[in-house]
Amino acid sequence: QKEVEQDPGPLSVPEGAIVSLNCTYSNSAFQYFMWYRQYSRKGPELLMYTYSSGNKEDGRFTAQVDKSSKYISLFIRDSQPSDSATYLCAGYSGGGADGLTFGKGTHLIIQP
Amino acid sequence: DAGVTQSPTHLIKTRGQQVTLRCSPKSGHDTVSWYQQALGQGPQFIFQYYEEEERQRGNFPDRFSGHQFPNYSSELNVNALLLGDSALYLCASITDGPGGLAEQYFGPGTRLTV
C-alpha cells in the first residue's frame, strides 16, 4: 500500500462547477498536508498547506484534513478552464529532514 | 525576487553516462531537496541538503549524489545512467518558516531522457 493514494482520473467537470479532489494516506506521523498544482511538463506549484486537522481557505481554494479518517480534500469553487492541471497531494511528518510524500496526482479537466 | 531556477531544461544522455543537474533556490532559502518524477507519478524524494551537508536520503542508490555550495545552490549527480533514470528532476527550495520544512517551492525541473 502506498503512503498517499489519489485517484488519477481524469476528472472532467463543466466550468463554474465546484470541484472536489481527494487523497487518503496511511502514515500516522504526517502532520502537514500540502496541495500542489502541476501543469503539463512544468514544476509543481504550491497551492496551500495545512497543519494537522481542520480547514484552510485561500480564495477559491479550500483544503480540509480529517486525521481521524486519514482523508485530505481540496475544493475549488467557480472552476475555470485555467484550473485544468494535475493536482498532487502530499504529506509530511515534520520535525526532521524527510522529504514530502506525494500521491500520483489527479488530472483535472475543466470544460468551457 | 527570482524563483527557483534549474538548468539545463532538457538533457539527453546514453545509458552508462554521467549527468549533473543544477539548482538555485529562492533568495533567503538555505535548504534544497531533490525529487525524481517519473511520467504519470508523483515526485519521489531523493535527498536534502542543508549547510552543505546531505541531511536525509530517500530510497535511491549511491549512483545519485549531490552537493550544496556556500551560496545555497545545489547540484545533483547521477552516475552510470540507466533507462529507468529517465524522468523530470525537481529541485525544491525550502526555508524554515511557519510551515517548518513543509513549505517547499519547486523549480521548473530538468527533463532527463536516457
Side-chain angles (χ1 to χ4, degrees), chain B residues 81-104:
Chain B
L81 285 167
L82 303 174
L83 296 181
D85 294 332
S86 296
L88 181 68
Y89 287 85
L90 296 161
C91 168
S93 172
I94 309 164
T95 190
D96 197 2
L101 298 179
E103 207 168 332
Q104 304 196 11

PDB file of all heavy atoms in Angstrom, chain B residues 81-104:
ATOM      1  N   LEU B  81      24.134   5.961 -15.789  1.00  0.00           N
ATOM      2  CA  LEU B  81      22.715   6.141 -16.079  1.00  0.00           C
ATOM      3  C   LEU B  81      22.064   4.870 -16.608  1.00  0.00           C
ATOM      4  O   LEU B  81      22.638   4.138 -17.430  1.00  0.00           O
ATOM      5  CB  LEU B  81      22.540   7.268 -17.098  1.00  0.00           C
ATOM      6  CG  LEU B  81      22.729   8.682 -16.540  1.00  0.00           C
ATOM      7  CD1 LEU B  81      22.854   9.682 -17.684  1.00  0.00           C
ATOM      8  CD2 LEU B  81      21.566   9.045 -15.620  1.00  0.00           C
ATOM      9  N   LEU B  82      20.844   4.646 -16.116  1.00  0.00           N
ATOM     10  CA  LEU B  82      20.007   3.540 -16.574  1.00  0.00           C
ATOM     11  C   LEU B  82      18.797   4.114 -17.309  1.00  0.00           C
ATOM     12  O   LEU B  82      18.429   5.275 -17.104  1.00  0.00           O
ATOM     13  CB  LEU B  82      19.520   2.707 -15.381  1.00  0.00           C
ATOM     14  CG  LEU B  82      20.591   2.108 -14.474  1.00  0.00           C
ATOM     15  CD1 LEU B  82      19.948   1.450 -13.259  1.00  0.00           C
ATOM     16  CD2 LEU B  82      21.438   1.111 -15.245  1.00  0.00           C
ATOM     17  N   LEU B  83      18.172   3.280 -18.130  1.00  0.00           N
ATOM     18  CA  LEU B  83      16.985   3.741 -18.849  1.00  0.00           C
ATOM     19  C   LEU B  83      15.920   4.229 -17.873  1.00  0.00           C
ATOM     20  O   LEU B  83      15.201   5.194 -18.139  1.00  0.00           O
ATOM     21  CB  LEU B  83      16.424   2.610 -19.716  1.00  0.00           C
ATOM     22  CG  LEU B  83      17.326   2.112 -20.844  1.00  0.00           C
ATOM     23  CD1 LEU B  83      16.632   1.001 -21.625  1.00  0.00           C
ATOM     24  CD2 LEU B  83      17.743   3.226 -21.774  1.00  0.00           C
ATOM     25  N   GLY B  84      15.825   3.571 -16.722  1.00  0.00           N
ATOM     26  CA  GLY B  84      14.827   3.923 -15.719  1.00  0.00           C
ATOM     27  C   GLY B  84      15.076   5.243 -15.013  1.00  0.00           C
ATOM     28  O   GLY B  84      14.232   5.701 -14.238  1.00  0.00           O
ATOM     29  N   ASP B  85      16.226   5.875 -15.290  1.00  0.00           N
ATOM     30  CA  ASP B  85      16.508   7.184 -14.700  1.00  0.00           C
ATOM     31  C   ASP B  85      15.838   8.307 -15.494  1.00  0.00           C
ATOM     32  O   ASP B  85      15.873   9.465 -15.061  1.00  0.00           O
ATOM     33  CB  ASP B  85      18.019   7.429 -14.655  1.00  0.00           C
ATOM     34  CG  ASP B  85      18.734   6.471 -13.714  1.00  0.00           C
ATOM     35  OD1 ASP B  85      18.106   6.010 -12.731  1.00  0.00           O
ATOM     36  OD2 ASP B  85      19.930   6.187 -13.964  1.00  0.00           O
ATOM     37  N   SER B  86      15.248   7.983 -16.622  1.00  0.00           N
ATOM     38  CA  SER B  86      14.537   8.989 -17.407  1.00  0.00           C
ATOM     39  C   SER B  86      13.363   9.517 -16.602  1.00  0.00           C
ATOM     40  O   SER B  86      12.494   8.753 -16.163  1.00  0.00           O
ATOM     41  CB  SER B  86      14.019   8.376 -18.717  1.00  0.00           C
ATOM     42  OG  SER B  86      15.074   7.966 -19.542  1.00  0.00           O
ATOM     43  N   ALA B  87      13.346  10.841 -16.374  1.00  0.00           N
ATOM     44  CA  ALA B  87      12.336  11.434 -15.507  1.00  0.00           C
ATOM     45  C   ALA B  87      12.501  12.945 -15.521  1.00  0.00           C
ATOM     46  O   ALA B  87      13.448  13.474 -16.101  1.00  0.00           O
ATOM     47  CB  ALA B  87      12.466  10.915 -14.070  1.00  0.00           C
ATOM     48  N   LEU B  88      11.571  13.627 -14.831  1.00  0.00           N
ATOM     49  CA  LEU B  88      11.694  15.048 -14.558  1.00  0.00           C
ATOM     50  C   LEU B  88      12.343  15.181 -13.174  1.00  0.00           C
ATOM     51  O   LEU B  88      11.830  14.629 -12.193  1.00  0.00           O
ATOM     52  CB  LEU B  88      10.316  15.713 -14.567  1.00  0.00           C
ATOM     53  CG  LEU B  88      10.259  17.226 -14.312  1.00  0.00           C
ATOM     54  CD1 LEU B  88      10.901  17.995 -15.476  1.00  0.00           C
ATOM     55  CD2 LEU B  88       8.820  17.687 -14.110  1.00  0.00           C
ATOM     56  N   TYR B  89      13.468  15.858 -13.100  1.00  0.00           N
ATOM     57  CA  TYR B  89      14.165  16.038 -11.833  1.00  0.00           C
ATOM     58  C   TYR B  89      13.859  17.431 -11.302  1.00  0.00           C
ATOM     59  O   TYR B  89      14.125  18.436 -11.961  1.00  0.00           O
ATOM     60  CB  TYR B  89      15.668  15.807 -12.001  1.00  0.00           C
ATOM     61  CG  TYR B  89      15.960  14.338 -12.180  1.00  0.00           C
ATOM     62  CD1 TYR B  89      15.871  13.748 -13.440  1.00  0.00           C
ATOM     63  CD2 TYR B  89      16.249  13.534 -11.087  1.00  0.00           C
ATOM     64  CE1 TYR B  89      16.081  12.384 -13.606  1.00  0.00           C
ATOM     65  CE2 TYR B  89      16.470  12.172 -11.248  1.00  0.00           C
ATOM     66  CZ  TYR B  89      16.378  11.608 -12.508  1.00  0.00           C
ATOM     67  OH  TYR B  89      16.583  10.257 -12.667  1.00  0.00           O
ATOM     68  N   LEU B  90      13.313  17.455 -10.097  1.00  0.00           N
ATOM     69  CA  LEU B  90      12.827  18.692  -9.499  1.00  0.00           C
ATOM     70  C   LEU B  90      13.666  19.073  -8.293  1.00  0.00           C
ATOM     71  O   LEU B  90      14.042  18.229  -7.481  1.00  0.00           O
ATOM     72  CB  LEU B  90      11.370  18.505  -9.049  1.00  0.00           C
ATOM     73  CG  LEU B  90      10.364  18.231 -10.163  1.00  0.00           C
ATOM     74  CD1 LEU B  90       9.089  17.623  -9.595  1.00  0.00           C
ATOM     75  CD2 LEU B  90      10.045  19.517 -10.908  1.00  0.00           C
ATOM     76  N   CYS B  91      13.919  20.353  -8.192  1.00  0.00           N
ATOM     77  CA  CYS B  91      14.607  20.912  -7.037  1.00  0.00           C
ATOM     78  C   CYS B  91      13.573  21.674  -6.227  1.00  0.00           C
ATOM     79  O   CYS B  91      12.754  22.413  -6.791  1.00  0.00           O
ATOM     80  CB  CYS B  91      15.719  21.837  -7.534  1.00  0.00           C
ATOM     81  SG  CYS B  91      16.443  22.877  -6.273  1.00  0.00           S
ATOM     82  N   ALA B  92      13.577  21.492  -4.919  1.00  0.00           N
ATOM     83  CA  ALA B  92      12.671  22.219  -4.038  1.00  0.00           C
ATOM     84  C   ALA B  92      13.477  23.121  -3.125  1.00  0.00           C
ATOM     85  O   ALA B  92      14.467  22.701  -2.520  1.00  0.00           O
ATOM     86  CB  ALA B  92      11.832  21.246  -3.206  1.00  0.00           C
ATOM     87  N   SER B  93      13.036  24.362  -3.042  1.00  0.00           N
ATOM     88  CA  SER B  93      13.687  25.379  -2.228  1.00  0.00           C
ATOM     89  C   SER B  93      12.898  25.522  -0.929  1.00  0.00           C
ATOM     90  O   SER B  93      11.669  25.630  -0.952  1.00  0.00           O
ATOM     91  CB  SER B  93      13.678  26.699  -3.021  1.00  0.00           C
ATOM     92  OG  SER B  93      14.123  27.786  -2.263  1.00  0.00           O
ATOM     93  N   ILE B  94      13.595  25.491   0.207  1.00  0.00           N
ATOM     94  CA  ILE B  94      12.918  25.409   1.496  1.00  0.00           C
ATOM     95  C   ILE B  94      13.535  26.397   2.477  1.00  0.00           C
ATOM     96  O   ILE B  94      14.762  26.557   2.521  1.00  0.00           O
ATOM     97  CB  ILE B  94      13.080  23.997   2.100  1.00  0.00           C
ATOM     98  CG1 ILE B  94      12.697  22.911   1.081  1.00  0.00           C
ATOM     99  CG2 ILE B  94      12.265  23.846   3.377  1.00  0.00           C
ATOM    100  CD1 ILE B  94      13.179  21.526   1.449  1.00  0.00           C
ATOM    101  N   THR B  95      12.689  27.035   3.264  1.00  0.00           N
ATOM    102  CA  THR B  95      13.174  27.813   4.388  1.00  0.00           C
ATOM    103  C   THR B  95      12.361  27.434   5.615  1.00  0.00           C
ATOM    104  O   THR B  95      11.185  27.087   5.486  1.00  0.00           O
ATOM    105  CB  THR B  95      13.101  29.321   4.114  1.00  0.00           C
ATOM    106  OG1 THR B  95      13.782  30.021   5.133  1.00  0.00           O
ATOM    107  CG2 THR B  95      11.659  29.800   4.050  1.00  0.00           C
ATOM    108  N   ASP B  96      12.959  27.481   6.760  1.00  0.00           N
ATOM    109  CA  ASP B  96      12.296  27.040   7.982  1.00  0.00           C
ATOM    110  C   ASP B  96      11.384  28.142   8.505  1.00  0.00           C
ATOM    111  O   ASP B  96      11.712  28.851   9.447  1.00  0.00           O
ATOM    112  CB  ASP B  96      13.340  26.644   9.029  1.00  0.00           C
ATOM    113  CG  ASP B  96      12.743  25.807  10.143  1.00  0.00           C
ATOM    114  OD1 ASP B  96      11.533  25.513  10.079  1.00  0.00           O
ATOM    115  OD2 ASP B  96      13.471  25.447  11.080  1.00  0.00           O
ATOM    116  N   GLY B  97      10.217  28.285   7.847  1.00  0.00           N
ATOM    117  CA  GLY B  97       9.253  29.315   8.224  1.00  0.00           C
ATOM    118  C   GLY B  97       8.119  28.746   9.056  1.00  0.00           C
ATOM    119  O   GLY B  97       8.284  27.727   9.710  1.00  0.00           O
ATOM    120  N   PRO B  98       6.933  29.389   9.006  1.00  0.00           N
ATOM    121  CA  PRO B  98       5.788  28.933   9.797  1.00  0.00           C
ATOM    122  C   PRO B  98       5.405  27.489   9.520  1.00  0.00           C
ATOM    123  O   PRO B  98       4.901  26.791  10.408  1.00  0.00           O
ATOM    124  CB  PRO B  98       4.669  29.891   9.366  1.00  0.00           C
ATOM    125  CG  PRO B  98       5.365  31.100   8.889  1.00  0.00           C
ATOM    126  CD  PRO B  98       6.650  30.617   8.258  1.00  0.00           C
ATOM    127  N   GLY B  99       5.614  27.054   8.285  1.00  0.00           N
ATOM    128  CA  GLY B  99       5.285  25.681   7.928  1.00  0.00           C
ATOM    129  C   GLY B  99       6.433  24.724   8.125  1.00  0.00           C
ATOM    130  O   GLY B  99       6.392  23.590   7.635  1.00  0.00           O
ATOM    131  N   GLY B 100       7.467  25.195   8.826  1.00  0.00           N
ATOM    132  CA  GLY B 100       8.626  24.337   9.008  1.00  0.00           C
ATOM    133  C   GLY B 100       9.221  23.978   7.666  1.00  0.00           C
ATOM    134  O   GLY B 100       9.251  24.774   6.737  1.00  0.00           O
ATOM    135  N   LEU B 101       9.667  22.776   7.535  1.00  0.00           N
ATOM    136  CA  LEU B 101      10.259  22.327   6.286  1.00  0.00           C
ATOM    137  C   LEU B 101       9.194  21.802   5.322  1.00  0.00           C
ATOM    138  O   LEU B 101       9.521  21.243   4.291  1.00  0.00           O
ATOM    139  CB  LEU B 101      11.303  21.253   6.570  1.00  0.00           C
ATOM    140  CG  LEU B 101      12.486  21.701   7.433  1.00  0.00           C
ATOM    141  CD1 LEU B 101      13.444  20.549   7.655  1.00  0.00           C
ATOM    142  CD2 LEU B 101      13.211  22.878   6.797  1.00  0.00           C
ATOM    143  N   ALA B 102       7.923  21.982   5.673  1.00  0.00           N
ATOM    144  CA  ALA B 102       6.849  21.511   4.804  1.00  0.00           C
ATOM    145  C   ALA B 102       6.631  22.456   3.629  1.00  0.00           C
ATOM    146  O   ALA B 102       6.113  22.059   2.598  1.00  0.00           O
ATOM    147  CB  ALA B 102       5.543  21.379   5.587  1.00  0.00           C
ATOM    148  N   GLU B 103       7.025  23.732   3.801  1.00  0.00           N
ATOM    149  CA  GLU B 103       6.763  24.724   2.776  1.00  0.00           C
ATOM    150  C   GLU B 103       7.880  24.650   1.741  1.00  0.00           C
ATOM    151  O   GLU B 103       8.922  25.273   1.880  1.00  0.00           O
ATOM    152  CB  GLU B 103       6.715  26.107   3.421  1.00  0.00           C
ATOM    153  CG  GLU B 103       5.878  27.109   2.698  1.00  0.00           C
ATOM    154  CD  GLU B 103       5.634  28.358   3.526  1.00  0.00           C
ATOM    155  OE1 GLU B 103       5.643  28.261   4.777  1.00  0.00           O
ATOM    156  OE2 GLU B 103       5.457  29.414   2.929  1.00  0.00           O
ATOM    157  N   GLN B 104       7.642  23.881   0.684  1.00  0.00           N
ATOM    158  CA  GLN B 104       8.661  23.619  -0.318  1.00  0.00           C
ATOM    159  C   GLN B 104       8.197  24.149  -1.674  1.00  0.00           C
ATOM    160  O   GLN B 104       7.107  23.838  -2.119  1.00  0.00           O
ATOM    161  CB  GLN B 104       8.959  22.120  -0.395  1.00  0.00           C
ATOM    162  CG  GLN B 104       9.374  21.541   0.958  1.00  0.00           C
ATOM    163  CD  GLN B 104      10.027  20.190   0.888  1.00  0.00           C
ATOM    164  OE1 GLN B 104      10.395  19.698  -0.170  1.00  0.00           O
ATOM    165  NE2 GLN B 104      10.213  19.571   2.051  1.00  0.00           N
TER     166      GLN B 104
END
